[in-house]
Structures are given as structure tokens and as C-alpha cells.
Amino acid sequence: MTVRLIVNQGLRAFIGGLTAVVITGPWFALAAQRAAVEREREEFFRWLASAPTSPLAAVALVVVGSGIRLGPAGSDVPLNQLPEYRVSERNGRVVLTGPEVVRPLPRGRTVTIGRHTLLAAGPAGRTTLTVFTAPPRVETKPPKWYAYDPAATIEVTLKPPARPGTVRVLGADGVEVEATEAGTVAASVNGASAVLSVRRMPGATPEESELEVYFRDQTNGKGTYPAGRFVALIPAGEGRYRLDFNRAHNPFCAYSSVYPCPAPWRGNTIAARVEAGERYAGGGLDPANIPTQ
């Protein structure tokens, strides 16, 4: 199964759904948007509670480098009741070697060994491996969200970047990617104006990508995750985009300290409280370990 790096399955599963809704007026448009957001939240919770690649099932995220060992005690990633496996990369190709098996680990596609799921990702030469173990059957608490706020949806125009290029950043899933500088959008939230950098985050294939904004605001550490939140731009036609903070979501480090936390993007700070989107109820990376840019 193709995976953009996990987050596509939950957080973005329904983002494109709005463009397929036929509306006949402002009230219907608002109702459709609210319903789509609620569906996304319900779908994300189901995915979080049960998916083999849920961040709650992650036990390790390591750089492959010159090679890593999985399995017995003393391995780079100890995994109970698993014989020794090795993961290596050569000429950009990632390979899993174990008892009577040699098989490729295609980037963005999961491979299962025993109770464990492996996911290789990241650019060649800096490949990471995320290891998931089927979690015990325990109750998963639903993520916390602010109430839907129609005023938190803004139509914006994407202004081309002054200096086009690429930059290495961590995605929401803690994996390094080569992101493209897509430009900036101007937004006014609760009386505060901000110019926010937008980056095109790559997917598992060249056709899969998202225009993402990683932002901070005055709720960070006071209701939302201290390092900031991600939100994707939604095409609205004629060169316009919908910036819907109701869809703002936490990076995966908010769910598990297995994941490194993205550093805040320079300048992407809104000098107001954005009380929309996902909240933070604790349980992830300690705020003292969040990097700065």
C-alpha cells in the first residue's frame, strides 16, 4: 500500500472532498465545509486507534546510514522474539536481509515482519526507517480539537517566492524531505496580520505533494502543541487557495517521543490566538527538547 508518509491516510484523507461538493449558497457552503472537517476528524481518530502505521504504534525511527540491525538484544532496534534482520542502503536502494529472505524496502511502502511493520522514507543517502509494533488492545483517547470556527477559514493568494529553491525540513511525520519553496500567503487572524511561508512537501511519488504551512501562534504551549502545527492549502480555483485553520494538525512528535520534532519555520508566527484545529493534551515530546530554527 502506498503511503505518503503515513499522515496522508488520516489527516488528509478528506481534504480534497470539498471540491466535489455541489453547493447552492453561502449557508450550504459553510455546512459542507463543517461536515467535511468533522469527517476528517472522525477518520483520523479511527486511523490513529487502529492503523499499523499509527504514531501510537511507532517504536523507533532511525537513520539507515551504513546499515542497522533489528531483532535480538543489543541490536540498533531490539524487537522481542524476532531473529536478526539487517537494513542497508546501496546506490539509493534500501534492502531488508534476514533469515532466508532478501527483499527491497521501497520508500513509502510498508513491509511486515512478524508483528512489526517497517517503513523506509526520506531522500537517498539520508533514508530513515520507522518501525511499528502492533499495539496492545487498549483504549485510545480521541485527539482534542477546538470547536469548528467558520471565521478561521481564509481565502488567500499564493505569492511566488523571491528566491525559488529547495530546503531540507522535517515533515509532520519527523522524516527529512527536500521541500520546494512555494511562496507566501498573507493572512489576517483575530486582528493580527502575518505573511506565512508555504512549502511544497513531497509525497511517495512525484505526483503526490501538499502545499503546507507550518505555523506558530499564541496558543502554543497554552492549549496547542508548543512547537507549532501544520495546515495544508486547499485549491479554491482561479489561483486562490483556502487556508482553513480548522484543519490545523499536530506533528507526530505530539503523539510519541519516537519522532523528532520539526523546528518552527522562521517568520511563520501569528501574533494572535488561533483557536481552531487540533489541540494538545500532552503525551508527546517534552517541550524542552523541541528544536529552534
Side-chain angles (χ1 to χ4, degrees):
M1 178 175 58
T2 299
V3 183
R4 145 56 193 117
L5 295 180
I6 314 166
V7 70
N8 276 351
Q9 296 184 359
L11 294 171
R12 301 176 187 166
F14 291 97
I15 278 178
L18 291 178
T19 58
V21 177
V22 177
I23 57 177
T24 58
W27 185 89
F28 293 98
L30 175 60
Q33 291 177 30
R34 183 194 298 266
V37 169
E38 293 300 328
R39 288 200 307 272
E40 288 175 26
R41 294 177 178 182
E42 292 170 2
E43 178 69 14
F44 177 59
F45 172 54
R46 288 194 293 269
W47 174 82
L48 187 69
S50 61
T53 52
S54 164
L56 299 180
V59 296
L61 193 160
V62 292
V63 177
V64 172
S66 59
I68 57 176
R69 295 171 58 237
L70 311 176
S75 299
D76 299 294
V77 182
L79 298 171
N80 292 337
Q81 300 178 349
L82 192 73
E84 181 174 302
Y85 284 82
R86 292 180 178 267
V87 177
S88 58
E89 179 181 3
R90 179 174 295 179
N91 298 325
R93 184 170 180 265
V94 186
V95 176
L96 174 70
T97 305
E100 300 181 358
V101 62
V102 177
R103 62 173 300 178
L105 287 180
R107 285 177 174 77
R109 293 183 179 273
T110 57
V111 170
T112 301
I113 52 172
R115 296 175 52 240
H116 312 286
T117 299
L118 310 181
L119 180 68
R126 299 190 302 279
T127 302
T128 60
L129 182 76
T130 309
V131 182
F132 306 86
T133 297
R137 296 293 180 180
V138 297
E139 181 181 2
T140 299
K141 294 182 179 179
K144 301 291 185 181
W145 306 89
Y146 285 104
Y148 181 84
D149 181 5
T153 300
I154 307 166
E155 279 213 357
V156 296
T157 299
L158 182 61
K159 181 180 178 180
R163 297 179 179 178
T166 60
V167 59
R168 294 179 187 174
V169 295
L170 294 185
D173 50 12
V175 173
E176 184 183 78
V177 297
E178 294 278 355
T180 303
E181 298 285 10
T184 58
V185 294
S188 179
V189 184
N190 294 332
S193 297
V195 177
L196 304 173
S197 296
V198 182
R199 289 168 176 165
R200 186 174 293 279
M201 309 293 278
T205 70
E207 292 75 26
E208 296 177 7
S209 63
E210 293 283 354
L211 290 172
E212 292 273 6
V213 177
Y214 186 37
F215 72 97
R216 302 188 77 246
D217 67 275
Q218 293 187 350
T219 66
N220 297 138
K222 302 174 182 178
T224 63
Y225 195 61
R229 294 176 289 169
F230 283 85
V231 64
L233 297 186
I234 305 169
E238 298 182 355
R240 303 280 290 174
Y241 292 87
R242 185 176 297 114
L243 178 59
D244 187 355
F245 289 106
N246 292 290
R247 289 178 160 86
H249 59 86
N250 293 329
F252 278 18
C253 53
Y255 290 96
S256 171
S257 58
V258 163
Y259 296 91
C261 208
W265 294 358
R266 191 182 305 278
N268 274 25
T269 299
I270 300 170
R273 291 181 62 84
V274 181
E275 295 182 340
E278 190 173 5
R279 306 184 67 168
Y280 179 60
L285 190 66
D286 189 295
N289 295 323
I290 293 172
T292 58
Q293 189 180 68

